[in-house]
Amino acid sequence: MKPSLTLRARWAVLSKPQADSSDYRVLVCSDGPSAVSWFEHVVRDTLFGTPPPWSTAGRPGETLPWISFGACDARPAAGGGRWVSVSVTDWNSPVQATWDSSGRRSATTRCFLVPYAEVARQRVGLVSLWNAVRPVQLPSEAREDVAPVLLEAQSDHLERTARTVDELGFHWVAATAAAALELPLALSAPGDRFALVRIGTIDAIAALLPFGYRAALTASTWAPDATAADPWICYTRGSSPTRLPVSEGEAPTPVSAPARAHLARLRLLHGELGTLGLLRSLAERTDPASFPGAAGGPPRARPLDSYPKD
């Protein structure tokens, strides 16, 4: 049996009540009514498009569910610090389905927040976070007994991620990770990719950066309305002069000195340590870091010229 760990998560639900004529909004959250406005901001920061009509067909991965990841500073009443988020936008089950006043089926977004310090301490990857929140059901209306929930996450994700890196091709994943140090990425695949496969690909790219970049990472399995820099890594058809298109299997060419140095170091350490050893080395670097445009300046991480080998 795979080892597991427990993460305490705050949460919010964004949707519409039955026959509602207003916009989507947070209906209930773990911290009670006083925190609704703060959660409203957090949840909307991880929504990168408007759900299509329920009856609209689409390609796998582009239809719901959409899974996105983000990062934010926690509200002081929750203890402050840096938190990471997992948001899942999907249709409710047929039994729980709601329809707005115009007869359109309403989607629901479940947003979970966990402390970055705990994610970093346990080296929890994106696939593990998704698997942890996937079965968790949340109330759809305000209640008095709201409280944080406990998530069960796998703690041995690096072996799985290493296999994904090798399947995608180390050269492509490494070059894409290095390119992410320059520009936000617009990923595309030659064929359809379901949401879980897309999470695995994004997780593999993130794994070839020091773990601390997850303290600032925004990513999504589908972002039809992706802006110039938000989310930083996503599958999308949207275009922007400041977003780098990257097709699976076609490695980008980093041009900046830091990105080229990172790619060279990845190749060197891969030859010395192998894929799994390299991922373990990068996972040890948990000091929070930011992408060039995400915080208005260059990454805050230490120089990428040395990684621990043990």
Side-chain angles (χ1 to χ4, degrees), residues 170-197:
F170 172 78
H171 176 64
W172 180 82
V173 182
T176 303
L181 295 175
E182 299 177 316
L183 292 170
L185 307 180
L187 302 179
S188 61
D192 293 334
R193 292 287 190 274
F194 288 94
L196 180 57
V197 177

Side-chain angles (χ1 to χ4, degrees), residues 12-14 26 38-51 64-72 82-89 108-113 216-227 230-234:
V13 174
L14 181 141
V26 170
W38 181 82
F39 272 104
E40 186 89 24
H41 174 75
V42 170
V43 177
R44 290 191 179 280
D45 273 354
T46 60
L47 296 178
F48 307 113
T50 302
L64 301 186
W66 295 342
I67 298 94
S68 59
F69 302 87
C72 67
R82 193 69 173 167
W83 290 46
V84 297
S85 66
V86 187
S87 293
V88 183
T89 301
T108 295
T109 298
R110 296 175 293 139
C111 179
F112 300 83
L113 289 169
L217 177 65
T218 53
S220 184
T221 58
W222 183 242
D225 300 329
T227 62
D230 201 8
W232 197 260
I233 302 176
C234 65

